[in-house]
Amino acid sequence: MSIYFLCLVLLSIGVYCILRKRNLIKIVIGLGIIEYAVNLFFILVGYRMYGRAPILARSEEILNMVDPLVQALVLTAIVIGLATTALIVAIAIRIYEKYGTFDITKINKLKG
Amino acid sequence: MLPLFVAIPLAAAFIISLIGKRYQRAGDVLANLSSLVLLALSFFAFLSLNSHSSNILVYKVGGWIPPIGICMVLDGLTSFMLITINLVSCLVTIYSISYMEKYTSKYRFYSLFMLMLAGMNGVIITGDMFNLFVFLEIASIASYALVAFGTESDELEASFKYAIMGSVASSFILLGIALLYSYTSSLNMADISAVLAVKGDSNIVGFISVLFLMGFGLKAAIMPFHAWLPDAHPSAPAPISAMLSGIFIKTLGIYALLRIFFNVLGVSSTLLFLLIILGIISMSAGAFLAVGQRDIKRMLAYSSISQIGYIIFAVGIGTPLAIFGGLFHLINHAIFKSLLFLNSGAIEYSTKTRDLDQMGGLGKHLPLTGYTSLVGSTSISGIPPLSGFWSKLIIIVAAIQAKYVGFAVIAVLISILTLAYYLKLQRKAFFGELNKRWEKIKEVPLSMRLSMVILSVLCIIAGLILIPGLRGFIQQAVDVILVGKQYAGIVLGAVQ
């Protein structure tokens, strides 16, 4: 149970980071924390205590195995997260070139 | 046939990015060709669906039987959405031939455009939760890049804002999928629905519903989650604004909400009432914010929020007539909002400005843009013979029948407000004194005119969908929503 709670704490740290930080790069890091908290939760969903990899061998019987499906899904999610992060960091760098700052409160041309 | 809806745009995106630099015209040719083929395919899918007795087609990816493998499902709602998407995207690619000339590296635009189209078609056609998430992210990432395509300061700022909010929304959707998987041990939508029917309701389903409402609600720009839209849609190049406002928010937002709530999780009266409230809030706040705008595309973006409110409101009422009206308004809004954004693009193309106060009298020099924009504006504000009137009328009648008279009155008042700000747009942009600066401007090139004229003709004739012979086009989509959780049995039954 406590491990799920820690996962929630990680998620909250990410949300806090996005909502409160003013530096663009820190916001991107916050986004990464959120993504990893969700991925971690997804892995925990399929985890079994003392489980093992579900590889079927002759002469062996697997009693307690980890769900492999969620691991495949999380790998996909990580790749998607990587693409998003790379794109957002690229945009942040271009913003720095245009505005000369990473401070989100000074990047405010769009209003209304 | 079904995988082609994803495969064709993906292949086009890949080939364009590979050879686009060497052969400048390759992007134009390939993108237009593949979007035309997709349009033809979606009509073909509609026809083959109707000739099929069970009204559903399921494709098993890789030959795996659905609860284990991924499946693609073609039913009434799917084919309705596919026609809407591919119709608009086909006309938008024709428009971009001329419009995108002023940008460098046009082939990258087409490549991203096709990627976004692949993502949207994938979201529509898939029958698997995680697959839906993957396609949703493909479409979203392509759209973040497309919003920033001009790489000017405000475009980058809008794109950053949009990307952060969109990614957080995606994370919440993934969290919802994780919880759903842990509860039902399945990712197939039909199977999830079947398992939930056996296991019964529990608090976790309510929590998952909230996560999905938040995630897909942000993609649909329903009011409390709308903050990205008025920045992102005006900043993008005009064809992309048309795509984003016309179909992107409906595919990733409304379609996904409809499919998941009605067919997978099941709706409760609380959820429907919540949708009504959200719809009313978006409808009114979007309209009030649109009135004060000076930037023409920003006004259209707020108007999108308002019209999305109408659709969500109609879905929330939940009677067959209301859902019919909501879906009718969805396709109408896809047509006239993309038309209006293409008009604003034509104005920007000729005058290099989006400020309404600097325009005036453009109707004399841009007659075609003026007339088509007039058709779009009158249609969206609900002037009788045009399509927008019929869909709003159906929604309001359905609201009165369902005893939501107060909300129906609000919907009528907001419709009048819509007329007010579109009249303001028309008067400031196309009528009145000609500003001296625009003496020399000329009408836009042929490809832009062509797609604007086709869209405005569609605007006029879309009301014909209501006549009994053609009504089946929307009715079959409504039927899919109304079967609710029997969807599971229909899909799984079609597999065997």
Side-chain angles (χ1 to χ4, degrees), chain A residues 1-105:
Chain A
M1 197 61 219
S2 64
I3 198 158
Y4 291 103
F5 184 71
L6 287 175
C7 204
L8 179 68
V9 170
L10 195 60
L11 185 76
S12 319
I13 291 172
V15 174
Y16 173 81
C17 199
I18 286 184
L19 293 177
R20 291 288 300 168
K21 291 295 167 187
R22 291 166 59 178
N23 189 314
L24 293 186
I25 298 299
K26 285 184 184 167
I27 292 176
V28 178
I29 292 172
L31 189 64
I33 294 174
I34 288 190
E35 275 167 10
Y36 278 85
V38 175
N39 287 344
L40 186 63
F41 178 76
F42 217 153
I43 287 287
L44 285 176
V45 162
Y47 181 72
R48 286 276 187 80
M49 206 61 103
Y50 310 114
R52 49 160 294 181
I55 300 169
L56 194 64
R58 201 74 53 86
S59 80
E60 252 188 285
E61 202 179 343
I62 305 172
L63 295 173
N64 197 10
M65 64 176 188
V66 175
D67 188 349
L69 181 63
V70 290
Q71 301 185 355
L73 300 183
V74 166
L75 270 181
T76 317
I78 288 172
V79 174
I80 292 170
L82 173 75
T84 319
T85 314
L87 181 69
I88 297 177
V89 169
I91 293 170
I93 292 170
R94 295 297 280 270
I95 289 179
Y96 185 75
E97 283 172 7
K98 295 280 178 196
Y99 289 81
T101 176
F102 276 126
D103 190 342
I104 193 92
T105 52

Side-chain angles (χ1 to χ4, degrees), chain B residues 37-254:
Chain B
V37 170
L38 282 173
L39 180 61
L41 256 182
S42 48
F43 277 110
F44 178 67
F46 174 68
L47 290 179
S48 65
L49 188 66
N50 277 358
S51 63
H52 209 256
S53 57
S54 61
N55 272 332
I56 192 161
L57 289 173
V58 181
Y59 174 81
K60 302 183 275 290
V61 179
W64 295 85
I65 303 292
I68 298 166
I70 293 171
C71 65
M72 289 177 167
V73 182
L74 179 75
D75 56 16
L77 183 57
T78 312
S79 86
F80 168 75
M81 289 300 294
L82 278 176
I83 289 179
T84 313
I85 287 180
N86 291 311
L87 184 66
V88 173
S89 73
C90 178
L91 293 168
V92 165
T93 42
I94 295 173
Y95 182 90
S96 351
I97 296 175
S98 302
Y99 185 82
M100 293 308 288
E101 284 297 335
K102 61 178 180 171
Y103 290 88
T104 52
S105 66
K106 194 177 165 192
Y107 70 98
R108 290 214 178 91
F109 166 81
Y110 278 125
S111 189
L112 285 168
F113 186 96
M114 284 291 131
L115 207 56
M116 186 165 94
L117 192 57
M120 284 195 291
N121 277 338
V123 166
I124 298 298
I125 204 137
T126 188
D128 183 271
M129 278 312 256
F130 194 75
N131 209 345
L132 185 136
F133 171 75
V134 171
F135 283 126
L136 179 118
E137 282 290 76
I138 291 175
S140 304
I141 292 172
S143 74
Y144 306 149
L146 281 168
V147 168
F149 198 76
T151 60
E152 291 303 317
S153 47
D154 53 346
E155 283 145 7
L156 290 167
E157 184 189 337
S159 174
F160 187 81
K161 212 186 226 181
Y162 174 32
I164 292 291
M165 294 181 78
S167 308
V168 173
S170 305
S171 297
F172 280 114
I173 293 170
L174 186 60
L175 187 60
I177 293 172
L179 284 166
L180 203 54
Y181 179 73
S182 74
Y183 188 62
T184 62
S185 319
S186 177
L187 284 168
N188 187 290
M189 286 186 194
D191 199 36
I192 288 174
S193 175
V195 172
L196 281 178
V198 174
K199 273 198 160 180
D201 238 4
S202 98
N203 284 336
I204 192 82
V205 178
F207 185 58
I208 293 166
S209 303
V210 172
L211 284 175
F212 282 149
L213 189 62
M214 199 154 67
F216 293 118
L218 197 140
K219 301 277 182 196
I222 303 172
M223 197 58 189
F225 317 111
H226 72 287
W228 59 274
L229 188 144
D231 292 342
H233 288 195
S235 304
I240 296 307
S241 311
M243 283 292 277
L244 289 179
S245 255
I247 51 183
F248 188 84
I249 50 178
K250 303 196 184 64
T251 312
L252 268 61
I254 292 175

Side-chain angles (χ1 to χ4, degrees), chain B residues 2 106 140 190 243 257 272 283 343 362 402 408 449 458 489 493:
Chain B
L2 294 184
K106 194 177 165 192
S140 304
M243 283 292 277
L257 280 177
L272 286 179
M283 168 194 313
N343 289 141
L362 293 179
R449 274 181 300 183
L458 281 175

